[in-house]
């Protein structure tokens, strides 16, 4: 006899990419006597959980849906159950259904189905716009469309690390971005800030990102990755535009970290409850000169260390006589120790929006990386 999880898996595999949730609702109703199933997708700003099928957005902090999303755990409120929809650390939203089963085995299976849905949503993304559109509260600018399409994801986790990044203003970001990849026991991370506004900045950052990916995928060292991207940007813009970039390569088993600071965003280290400014040797931004040479620095992380990387749009947020500033940034990073990386970057950019009273005037990127010291 075929078990229920296999029935659900086969149903999802056989349905059109844009009909995953309808197929899931029909199948779990039949197999689990569950009704009212809904997928709540987190929006680009990390400020709303948006129903795919029907209903109002969930924006109230502390709502059961947000508790499930933030804590990555099942939350029950009366007869309604919420379970996170996540794949390899990429948090996409929450699955809501009723009634909440009484037996733990059924609840565990439904939680596994939510994870199954997360993987299917990732696979379906290349074949339909439905889920990308459903996760928006307003239209993206063309530059923002390009920047979000460039990202590897918004959060990621493995046995030895947890990682997240966020862009702001989320629906109108220009040249700030990040990229990462995990390969052969190493984690590669780049945080970029391209000069200019609108499409000029977005295209510039895209060029640098793809040049860095091309060099990384060719097996080049961190310094050579920076050099190749530097040459690509200079060849296109002849020094008129450049990209401020921080490149990191983390050995997951040992915590050995290499860094190339190419006019980079700011990096802070949270260790044992204290915030430390991580000194970096300033080198030329990518594309500023034709023959720049780059030299990596080496650091050793300790188990439990957190790196917080931000662009100047964070500390400079506000008006000329009232900037968010370095002291506020230090205080915020110190308070994030108990938050998961995605919660931390979400909270930081939310605090900035509150500080300025709305969307930021300048781009900002925030990336948070935890190294657990185990499982690399």
């Amino acid at each position: 006899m075929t078990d229920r999880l296999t029935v659900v898996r086969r149903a999802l595999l056989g349905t059109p990419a844009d009909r995953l949730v309808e197929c899931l609702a029909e199948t779990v109703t039949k197999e689990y006597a569950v009704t009212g199933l809904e997928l709540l997708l987190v929006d680009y700003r990390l400020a709303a959980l948006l129903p795919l099928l029907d209903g109002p957005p969930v924006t109230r902090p502390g709502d059961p849906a947000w508790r499930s999303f933030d804590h990555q755990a099942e939350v029950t409120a009366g007869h309604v159950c919420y379970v996170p929809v996540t794949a390899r650390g990429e948090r996409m939203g929450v699955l809501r259904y009723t009634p909440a089963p009484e037996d733990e085995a059924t609840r565990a299976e439904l939680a596994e189905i939510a994870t199954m849905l997360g993987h299917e949503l990732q696979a379906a993304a290349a074949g339909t716009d439905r889920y990308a559109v459903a996760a928006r509260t307003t239209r993206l600018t063309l530059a923002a469309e390009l920047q979000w399409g460039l990202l590897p994801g918004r959060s990621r986790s493995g046995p030895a690390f947890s990682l997240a990044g966020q862009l702001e203003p989320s629906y109108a970001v220009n040249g700030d971005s990040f990229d990462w990849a995990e390969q052969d026991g190493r984690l590669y991370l780049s945080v970029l800030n391209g000069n200019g506004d609108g499409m000029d900045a977005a295209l510039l950052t895209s060029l640098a990102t793809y040049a860095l990916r091309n060099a990384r995928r060719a097996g080049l060292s961190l310094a050579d990755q920076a050099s190749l991207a530097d040459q690509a940007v200079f060849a296109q813009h002849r020094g008129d535009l450049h990209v401020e970039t921080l490149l990191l390569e983390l050995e997951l088993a040992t915590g050995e970290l290499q860094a190339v600071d190419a006019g980079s965003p700011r990096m802070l280290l949270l260790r044992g409850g204290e915030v430390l400014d991580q000194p970096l040797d300033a080198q030329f931004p990518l594309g500023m000169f034709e023959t720049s040479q780059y030299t990596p620095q080496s650091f050793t992380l300790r188990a439990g260390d957190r790196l917080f990387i931000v662009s100047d749009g964070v500390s400079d947020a506000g008006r000329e006589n009232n900037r968010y500033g370095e002291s506020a940034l230090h205080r915020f990073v110190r308070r994030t120790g108990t938050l998961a990386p995605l919660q931390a970057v979400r909270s930081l950019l939310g605090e900035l929006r509150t500080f300025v009273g709305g969307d930021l005037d300048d781009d900002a990127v925030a990336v948070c990386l935890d190294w657990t010291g185990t499982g690399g």
Side-chain angles (χ1 to χ4, degrees):
M1 181 178 177
T2 304
D3 66 81
R4 295 184 296 182
L5 283 175
T6 300
V7 171
V8 174
R9 184 177 293 106
R10 288 176 178 174
L12 289 175
L13 289 174
T15 200
D18 63 339
R19 302 290 295 173
L20 288 172
V21 177
E22 287 86 350
C23 171
L24 184 63
E26 180 181 341
T27 307
V28 298
T29 296
K30 184 184 301 182
E31 297 293 330
Y32 292 89
V34 163
T35 60
L37 184 141
E38 176 64 281
L39 172 64
L40 306 173
L41 289 165
V42 68
D43 86 311
Y44 284 68
R45 185 173 281 171
L46 294 172
L49 290 166
L50 305 174
L52 180 73
L53 302 180
D54 188 33
V58 180
T59 58
R60 182 177 62 86
D63 186 276
W66 275 114
R67 296 207 309 271
S68 178
F69 181 86
D70 285 336
H71 300 293
Q72 290 294 282
E74 176 191 296
V75 173
T76 301
H79 297 294
V80 184
C81 195
Y82 301 85
V83 286
V85 177
T86 303
R88 296 187 181 276
E90 178 68 14
R91 302 186 183 189
M92 286 163 270
V94 173
L95 195 66
R96 180 179 66 199
Y97 64 87
T98 55
E102 293 184 3
D103 64 293
E104 291 187 8
T106 299
R107 295 160 81 105
E109 287 187 13
L110 287 165
E112 186 173 343
I113 286 170
T115 300
M116 193 186 305
L117 176 62
H119 286 278
E120 289 299 319
L121 288 170
Q122 286 188 327
T128 179
D129 291 331
R130 185 183 185 192
Y131 310 109
V133 172
R136 303 176 182 191
T137 59
T138 189
R139 182 176 177 178
L140 269 68
T141 64
L142 182 55
E145 189 81 60
L146 185 62
Q147 290 297 74
W148 282 103
L150 188 66
L151 297 182
R154 189 154 50 187
S155 53
R156 182 81 173 176
S157 63
F161 74 95
S162 186
L163 172 65
Q166 177 67 2
L167 308 178
E168 185 69 21
S170 304
Y171 291 89
V173 66
N174 296 319
D176 284 12
S177 189
F178 56 84
D179 192 31
W180 59 60
E182 186 184 359
Q183 179 73 26
D184 294 332
R186 292 181 174 85
L187 179 68
Y188 299 89
L189 170 63
S190 56
V191 182
L192 307 94
N193 181 3
N195 286 160
D197 299 312
M199 282 300 296
D200 288 340
L203 289 170
L204 177 63
T205 298
S206 297
L207 171 62
T209 299
Y210 278 109
L212 289 169
R213 287 176 180 172
N214 179 257
R216 185 183 71 224
R217 292 165 181 171
L220 301 186
S221 68
L222 202 65
D224 288 340
Q225 291 173 34
S227 294
L228 187 147
D230 173 65
Q231 293 163 18
V233 174
F234 185 86
Q236 189 71 24
H237 297 286
R238 311 308 298 178
D240 292 333
L241 295 174
H242 58 268
V243 184
E244 298 173 353
T245 308
L246 176 64
L247 300 177
L248 301 177
E249 179 181 328
L250 175 62
E251 183 76 38
L252 291 171
T254 65
E256 292 297 318
L257 181 72
Q258 289 192 67
V260 171
D261 173 8
S264 76
R266 179 78 176 282
M267 185 167 75
L268 302 174
L269 171 65
L270 179 62
R271 172 178 289 168
E274 293 299 319
V275 179
L276 309 173
D277 281 307
Q278 190 63 54
L280 295 170
D281 295 332
Q283 301 176 67
F284 292 123
L286 304 181
M288 182 170 280
F289 300 106
E290 186 172 9
T291 57
S292 297
Q293 299 294 316
Y294 295 94
T295 303
Q297 293 174 259
S298 294
F299 307 96
T300 301
L301 298 183
R302 299 177 187 172
D305 277 355
R306 163 168 288 181
L307 293 177
F308 227 104
I309 304 158
V310 299
S311 64
D312 56 8
V314 173
S315 57
D316 290 347
R319 296 181 176 85
E320 191 64 38
N321 59 351
N322 187 26
R323 300 289 188 184
Y324 184 70
E326 298 293 330
S327 297
L329 179 60
H330 273 246
R331 286 194 300 271
F332 176 85
V333 171
R334 188 178 298 111
R335 297 197 306 267
T336 69
T338 61
L339 301 178
L342 189 63
Q343 290 175 274
V345 296
R346 173 187 166 207
S347 297
L348 172 60
L349 295 178
E351 181 167 292
L352 286 181
R353 288 195 300 270
T354 300
F355 179 80
V356 302
D359 283 340
L360 305 187
D361 293 329
D362 190 18
D363 285 7
V365 60
V367 174
C368 182
L369 168 63
D370 289 347
W371 183 64
T372 65
T374 59

